[in-house]
Amino acid sequence: MFPVQHVMFRNITEEEYQDMASCKCIRTAEYEKGSILFHAGDRTEEFGIVIYGEVHIENIDLWGNRFILHSLSANDAFAETYAFCNVPMLADVTAAKSCKILFLNIGVLLSPEYHTKSWYFKLISNLLLLSTQKNLAWSNRIFCITAKSIRAKVMTFLSAEARKRESNEFSVPFDRQQMADYLNVERSALSKELAKMQKEGILEFHKNRFRLHKMEHFC
């Protein structure tokens, strides 16, 4: 059985998956919260798909300041560009919660000896689709950090989360400090702005749970 439903296995049959696994290029690993899956500077031919748990893509500068670039949960993938291009990673990959990861070795799967396999060109097509989806996800991140004010950053972020979940009530994958890191703002300033927005009736929140009241503010 497929360990995870993911775009990388789109149109790939159970028999084809087992054939891929027989090439010793697919493995799973479990990590405790706080574990580092990849360090900045690492090279890898593998990329990961989250089976369960939560993973953060983080950058820590020379002064110890942390910036959360992306939060990944079940069925999200990471490091595929680095695995495909074989270049050093520019960020750390950290287990934000205990997690289980499926790793695929692209270096092995795309080697010339497997060109005649029925799954080979399906895999390339799926990898292209995955890259396109990731570009869209990173675009949302850019929209958040390029907004001029803290309120604009918050509204852009919560708008994207609401649309993704198709609901005006949802939980975000960050605590308050992590949300501040993700939006590249001070935690105290973020908390102050959220309190103002709640007072104005734009939203309600409790910890990482949000309810948006005035959706016109997010369109």
Side-chain angles (χ1 to χ4, degrees), residues 78-89:
F78 59 89
E80 67 282 353
T81 300
Y82 297 106
F84 190 75
C85 298
N86 192 27
V87 296
M89 298 189 66

Side-chain angles (χ1 to χ4, degrees), residues 24-195:
K24 300 186 183 302
C25 55
I26 298 176
R27 67 182 179 92
T28 60
E30 296 184 7
Y31 298 89
E32 295 298 322
K33 179 180 178 180
S35 301
I36 306 297
L37 285 63
F38 290 117
H39 288 90
D42 286 350
R43 289 178 182 267
T44 180
E45 290 189 327
E46 293 184 316
F47 75 92
I49 299 172
V50 181
I51 297 177
Y52 67 74
E54 190 174 306
V55 170
H56 285 176
I57 311 300
E58 301 179 344
N59 180 54
I60 301 178
D61 63 25
L62 294 176
W63 295 270
N65 299 307
R66 182 184 66 169
F67 303 93
I68 298 177
L69 304 176
H70 211 54
S71 177
L72 308 172
S73 54
N75 288 326
D76 288 332
F78 59 89
E80 67 282 353
T81 300
Y82 297 106
F84 190 75
C85 298
N86 192 27
V87 296
M89 298 189 66
L90 299 178
D92 294 336
V93 181
T94 304
K97 297 180 180 178
S98 295
C99 60
K100 185 174 184 179
I101 308 297
L102 172 73
F103 288 100
L104 288 85
N105 191 312
I106 287 296
V108 172
L109 287 172
L110 298 185
S111 60
E113 62 184 295
Y114 298 126
H115 282 189
T116 58
K117 295 287 188 178
S118 60
W119 46 259
Y120 182 83
F121 288 103
K122 294 180 184 179
L123 194 70
I124 292 178
S125 175
N126 292 345
L127 187 61
L128 177 60
L129 180 58
L130 172 62
S131 297
T132 302
Q133 292 177 344
K134 290 296 287 292
N135 284 340
L136 292 174
W138 282 103
S139 294
N140 287 333
R141 161 72 172 152
I142 292 171
F143 291 149
C144 287
I145 62 176
T146 55
K148 293 184 178 181
S149 67
I150 294 176
R151 176 167 296 202
K153 291 174 187 283
V154 170
M155 293 173 76
T156 301
F157 171 63
L158 294 180
S159 174
E161 292 295 310
R163 292 191 180 106
K164 183 165 61 176
R165 292 167 174 76
E166 299 182 342
S167 173
N168 70 328
E169 187 172 357
F170 51 86
S171 295
V172 301
F174 303 126
D175 60 26
R176 194 66 73 242
Q177 182 60 60
Q178 291 170 338
M179 185 174 171
D181 291 340
Y182 183 79
L183 297 176
N184 197 23
V185 299
E186 293 292 333
R187 176 178 176 173
S188 58
L190 173 61
S191 296
K192 181 178 179 180
E193 191 60 46
L194 286 172

